[in-house]
Structure formats: C-alpha cells, structure tokens
Amino acid sequence: LSHPFDRGAIAGYCGISEDYLSRIFHREQGMVLWDYVLCLRLGRAHTLLLETAAPIAEIAAQCGFSGDEYFSRMFRRQYGFPPGSLRR
C-alpha cells in the first residue's frame, strides 16, 4: 500500500480488463476499488499513529499518500478528527 499503483497494473496482473476488475470488485466487496485501498491505507495510518512516534508526514508517505495535507483531509473525513489529535 505504500507504493503507487494503478488499476491497469492490477488488472494486468489478474489477466482481466480494467473495467471488468472494477465491476467484479464492486460486486464482491460492495465498494469501489479505490475506496477500499483508501480505507486500508487510513487503517494502517491509524495504527502507526497509535504505535509509533513517527511524524505525521512520514506516516502519510509510508501509507501511500502523496502529501500530508491530503492525508489529513482524508483521515478527518474517515474518522471525524485530524490525525494529530489521535496522539493527544
């Protein structure tokens, strides 16, 4: 999850088209692939915030976010509070 990837790479690995990957993923998981990836990344970040003293920007990068501002915005949207308040 820390490395960037795209739908085409996943579909190619599975030997199916990107559209088919999206359809079957949504049908089986009940959510869009990228929403699922975002939830996994945010869950990992939540754990790292609780278990490490690493800076928020470093945790954001470790979890595959391109910037700590975007990470903070998505974290707040998911959990209802900013990542820094989790450590307080």
Side-chain angles (χ1 to χ4, degrees), residues 5-52:
F5 58 89
D6 61 23
R7 190 175 64 151
I10 297 169
Y13 179 79
C14 296
I16 57 177
S17 74
E18 292 179 33
D19 291 336
Y20 184 63
L21 171 68
S22 294
R23 279 195 313 273
I24 61 170
F25 191 89
H26 188 269
R27 184 181 69 217
E28 296 297 322
Q29 297 299 319
M31 63 188 335
V32 177
L33 175 62
W34 296 119
D35 290 344
Y36 181 77
V37 171
L38 181 62
C39 285
L40 291 176
R41 286 179 170 165
L42 289 171
R44 175 75 177 134
H46 188 276
T47 300
L48 290 173
L49 286 165
L50 290 173
E51 296 178 356
T52 72

Side-chain angles (χ1 to χ4, degrees), residues 65-78:
F65 291 92
S66 58
D68 54 332
E69 288 179 22
Y70 175 67
F71 165 67
S72 293
R73 190 170 57 249
M74 294 297 102
F75 192 94
R76 182 186 296 263
R77 184 179 294 165
Q78 177 77 16

